[in-house]
Each structure stands twice: as C-alpha cells, then as structure tokens.
Amino acid sequence: MATVPSVSYSITVRLEVPAGGKAVSQLTHAVESAGGVVTALDVTTAGNEKLRIDVTCAARDTDHAQGIVDALEAIEGVVIHKVSDRTFLMHLGGKIETKSKVPLRNRDELSMAYTPGVARVSMAIARNPEDARRLTIKRNSVAVVTDGSAVLGLGNIGPAAALPVMEGKAALFKRFAGIDAWPICLDTQDVDELVRTIQVLAPGFGGINLEDISAPRCFEVERRLRELLDIPVFHDDQHGTAIVVLAALTNALRVVRKELGEVRIAMAGAGAAGTAVLRLLLAAGARHVVVCDYLGAVHKGRDDLDESLRWIADHTNAEGYAGDLRGAVKGADVFIGVSAPGILTGDDVAAMAEDAVVFALANPEPEVSPDEAREHAAVVATGRSDFPNQINNVLAFPGVFRGLLDAQAGGVTQEMLLAAAGALAAVVTPEELGPNYIVPSVFHPDVATAVAAAVRESAGGRARGMTEA
C-alpha cells in the first residue's frame, strides 16, 4: 500500500549553495518533485559567496529519504554536508529522565531528604507498610515491563531493542496522566522467570503495565501476577486495545444506527489483542461473532485448539462456520482486524452488509487498504495516524492507570474496562460524532480525566478482593 510522507521519516539536510545562484529557489522544488514535503528551510550561515541551509522534509521511508537527498545533491552548486534523521536525534541518550521533587540546597534539606531524617520515614513504613503509598513514589508509579518478544509489529527483537518503545510508553504516562513510569526490559522469555522477577520488583510500584509480551505466554504471566500481587496488573496490548476498540465501535454503530447485540462481527486475529477485544465485546453485549486466525474460522470442530482458542470456540460462532476470513466477512456488519497486512481487498468490503464498519488495525499496513475500504464501508478506522479514526492505546492506558492509582485499587475488573470504554466513547459529543470522528484525538484534554474518573468510580476505592477482568 502506498504511503504518504510522514514525520516519522523526517530528515534535516545541511547543505551549501552559491549565494548568487538559482540553487536556493530550486531546493523546495527538488524535494517536492521527489515526492517529499518541505517542513522547514533555515539559512544558518550567510556569506558573500556561500549560504549554508538546513532543509527539513518528510519522506515515506528510508529509501525515499535517500532519494530526496540524491535529488538535492543533483542541483548544480549544491554541496551536502550532513544528513540527520530527526527521529534518531530525538532518541539520542533516551527520551526520559528522573529529577528531584524536593530542593536539596543545603545540609538541612539533605538531612531530611536522605540520612539521617529519611530513617524516620523508613521506620514508619516498616511499622505500617500501607504508608508506602502515602510516603513514597509508589502512589504514583507504574512499571512498564516487557521481555521484547512482541514489540510493536516488529516481532521478537529482544529486550534491548524494546527499550526505546518502553521509554516512549513511560513518556506518554507522564504527558497524559502525570504518572511516573519506569521502563523495565527483562532478558528472559521464560514464564516462571518473568513472573518471579516482576513479583520481587513489585513493592516499589503502584501498578504493573505489561507490554509487548507475545501470546500465549502473556496470558499466563498476567494471570499468575494478578494472583500474586496486591496492585493492578494490566496488559496494555490486550486490555488497552480492547477499551479503545469498544469505545470506537460504540460510536461507529451510533453513526450507522445499529445495535451491538444485533450486528454480525467478523474478527481477524486470535492472539492477545484479538482475544481481549473479543472478551470485552461479549461483555458489552455482542452476540454474533466469528473469529478467524491464519487457519480460518475458530469453531468447536477444529482439532488444533489450545486453551485460548477453545474458549473462543465455546463463546462464538454458534452456527459452526468453518470457512475462511473472506467468507466470514461476507454479509457481516462489522470487521475488526488485529492480525496481518493485506489479507482483505476492497471487493471483500463491498460484500459486507450495507453501512458496514471496518476496523483494520494491523500496523503499519492494515488488513485492507483504508482508501479501498472507504469506497464501500460507512465507517473505517485504522491504527495509523495518517487516516481518520486512529485506534490508539494512548486513549486508554494513561487514564486507566490514573484511576487505578487514585483509587488505590488492588486489581483490574471487567467492569472497570467497560466503564473506561464508555467514558472514552462519551468524550465524542453527539454534535461531533460522524464517520470520520468516532474517537477523540489523543490530545483532547478530557480523555485521560474522563477515563480516570470512570475507572476510579468503578473501583470504588476498594484495594482488595476484586474479581478480575
């Protein structure tokens, strides 16, 4: 699928041109002729004979960026000095830092913040461990934990390569919910080691955000940690995705005037995200769902069902459909894809019911071209930022954890997830709701606060004894 220039592939080219020639006027033309977009052009040094200029532009990918550089270099009189990838520059030295919340200007302040004064606080917590939430960062801290086995759409690239993603997650926690989050990348993919390591790290945190751990291990890791810990454990790839999908589908169905309990839903993807989306949809009232994996529809007659697929077979596909995804999509009101790129065509969407809803969420390339899908479907959503209706987990997890921490919750319930989805959907007002606006912008000021309030109210301030999602 053809893509458009994106800031994700933004470069700055430092070059030199003759001061009196036509090269300056040709720079923008060369970039645009190569298919790029100029976002800034700055003269950094001027002289009688030479000008040094920084040209910043967006490309489609790394090869396209190189093509733009070649086009600039081909201009007569242009000398390329340096090419900087702006995304890599942003990541130099990491994206987050820690800083003290209290002044340390003199010996008195040092004595209170550290020894000997800190000993009094430590002893108070030793006498009453619950005071850790009041007197330490525990009350506002989350561990973002991964084993690097399922990073974005990149696969099993390991813990070190996962660190930039976990840093980004921590930055989002702070930006959207004021939560201090810490990236923790574990060099093991053994379930027992993961569970035990996270368990012994847990006392310093108010919540655990599991991230980019592949299925089916992620299910067991989450289940066991929830049994062991007295703080919330939330696998964002599962539950964050589910919350945003349900919120978006709630509003999409309002647009097309259909009811969740009546529509036929075809899903592609039975992994961690797909299973969580399915569970929340069923809890919200969906009744007619067929889930497909790479072997076709999941049904009770298949002989390859593991525990997770068996659950899906037992709770969906009541008619026992045993065909492929294209057959499941035919006549369906809703398609939800959390699977692989390019598995459907515009013709498949055309075969859906009238006023169809298509959520093609594979990233960076969706299950079906959004442009083709929009020719036939009434509402289309993707996981991409360059199309309307982006299904983005940042709409959910900051507010969810803000609510959990504020309530001092000891776990996560299905009721909390449903409450979060309902609150997120309600941020879009009836006047704003339309085919191209079914979820708010991630920068909408009410998103995190609305979700947090809903989760906090659902939690009821209870810290123990909650049934789990």
Side-chain angles (χ1 to χ4, degrees):
M1 184 184 70
T3 58
V4 297
S6 166
V7 70
S8 298
Y9 293 96
S10 180
I11 58 172
T12 297
V13 183
R14 174 160 292 180
L15 47 79
E16 198 171 71
V17 301
K22 298 180 179 180
V24 174
S25 63
Q26 294 175 326
L27 296 176
T28 299
H29 177 73
V31 172
E32 293 176 348
S33 296
V37 175
V38 175
T39 57
L41 193 151
D42 300 307
V43 177
T44 61
T45 304
N48 292 330
E49 297 184 358
K50 298 286 185 180
L51 298 177
R52 180 164 291 180
I53 300 175
D54 286 348
V55 180
T56 301
C57 50
R60 294 188 298 269
D61 52 38
T62 51
D63 289 339
H64 185 219
Q66 183 57 53
I68 292 173
V69 174
D70 293 342
L72 290 170
E73 194 169 24
I75 300 172
E76 184 177 357
V78 166
V79 177
I80 303 293
H81 284 277
K82 183 179 180 181
V83 180
S84 301
D85 186 311
R86 295 178 65 220
T87 297
F88 276 80
L89 286 177
M90 177 180 281
H91 287 254
L92 281 179
K95 303 185 294 295
I96 60 175
E97 64 179 0
T98 62
K99 63 179 182 180
S100 176
K101 294 167 61 177
V102 299
L104 297 173
R105 297 165 297 193
N106 51 52
R107 186 169 296 278
D108 282 353
E109 291 171 347
L110 183 62
S111 296
M112 287 188 289
Y114 197 52
T115 187
V118 72
R120 295 177 54 211
V121 181
S122 294
M123 289 307 299
I125 294 172
R127 290 189 297 270
N128 181 19
E130 285 298 314
D131 275 351
R133 288 184 184 265
R134 185 171 63 90
L135 296 171
T136 73
I137 60 171
K138 183 182 180 76
R139 68 182 297 172
N140 193 51
S141 65
V142 169
V144 182
V145 185
T146 189
D147 65 356
S149 60
V151 180
L152 301 177
L154 306 174
N156 188 356
I157 60 175
L163 185 54
V165 182
M166 301 308 113
E167 285 184 9
K169 194 85 173 191
L172 294 175
F173 267 113
K174 191 66 173 180
R175 165 62 176 83
F176 293 105
I179 293 171
D180 297 310
W182 314 90
I184 298 176
C185 301
L186 301 179
D187 192 12
T188 178
Q189 295 183 3
D190 177 80
V191 169
D192 291 337
E193 283 192 321
L194 286 170
V195 170
R196 180 56 181 161
T197 302
I198 297 169
Q199 180 188 9
V200 299
L201 286 171
F205 300 97
I208 304 293
N209 183 103
L210 301 177
E211 190 77 18
D212 292 348
I213 299 174
S214 62
R217 291 178 305 107
C218 60
F219 301 126
E220 185 177 357
V221 170
E222 182 185 41
R223 178 186 60 79
R224 288 171 57 180
L225 285 172
R226 286 185 169 190
E227 293 173 354
L228 291 167
L229 301 181
D230 62 353
I231 58 175
V233 178
F234 183 89
H235 187 201
D236 186 47
D237 301 318
Q238 294 184 61
H239 309 305
T241 302
I243 289 168
V244 183
V245 167
L246 176 56
L249 183 58
T250 298
N251 283 339
L253 293 179
R254 287 172 180 162
V255 171
V256 298
R257 293 180 169 82
K258 297 181 181 182
E259 298 295 327
L260 180 61
E262 302 301 322
V263 295
R264 288 182 53 201
I265 301 173
M267 289 186 59
T275 302
V277 169
L278 172 64
R279 285 178 178 269
L280 202 59
L281 289 178
L282 295 177
R287 297 189 299 161
H288 310 290
V289 186
V290 174
V291 179
C292 297
D293 63 7
Y294 70 100
L295 293 176
V298 178
H299 59 91
K300 293 180 181 179
R302 278 178 42 171
D303 58 7
D304 64 330
L305 303 181
D306 58 21
E307 182 180 354
S308 178
L309 290 177
R310 172 59 62 187
W311 187 94
I312 293 173
D314 288 342
H315 291 83
T316 64
N317 197 2
E319 298 177 358
Y321 172 72
D324 60 9
L325 176 62
R326 283 191 166 87
V329 166
K330 187 175 182 180
D333 299 281
V334 177
F335 167 72
I336 299 174
V338 279
S339 54
I343 57 178
L344 293 177
T345 67
D347 290 339
D348 296 316
V349 177
M352 295 177 68
E354 187 176 356
D355 290 329
V357 173
V358 172
F359 287 5
L361 307 182
N363 240 338
E365 185 176 345
E367 286 83 356
V368 59
S369 163
D371 291 329
E372 292 183 22
R374 287 164 66 89
E375 292 180 10
H376 307 287
V379 181
V380 176
T382 72
R384 296 170 56 114
S385 60
D386 52 350
F387 290 95
N389 300 326
Q390 184 189 21
I391 307 300
N392 191 329
N393 286 15
V394 75
L395 288 166
F397 70 81
V400 168
F401 269 100
R402 181 72 277 156
L404 291 170
L405 293 174
D406 290 348
Q408 297 188 20
V412 182
T413 69
Q414 193 170 75
E415 289 72 23
M416 293 176 190
L417 306 184
L418 291 170
L424 178 58
V427 172
V428 179
T429 66
E431 295 75 23
E432 295 171 320
L433 182 64
N436 294 314
Y437 194 74
I438 58 173
V439 288
S441 164
V442 297
F443 295 103
H444 192 297
D446 296 336
V447 167
T449 53
V451 172
V455 171
R456 187 166 55 246
E457 182 177 354
S458 179
R462 296 170 296 165
R464 300 291 184 271
M466 294 186 288
T467 58
E468 296 182 355

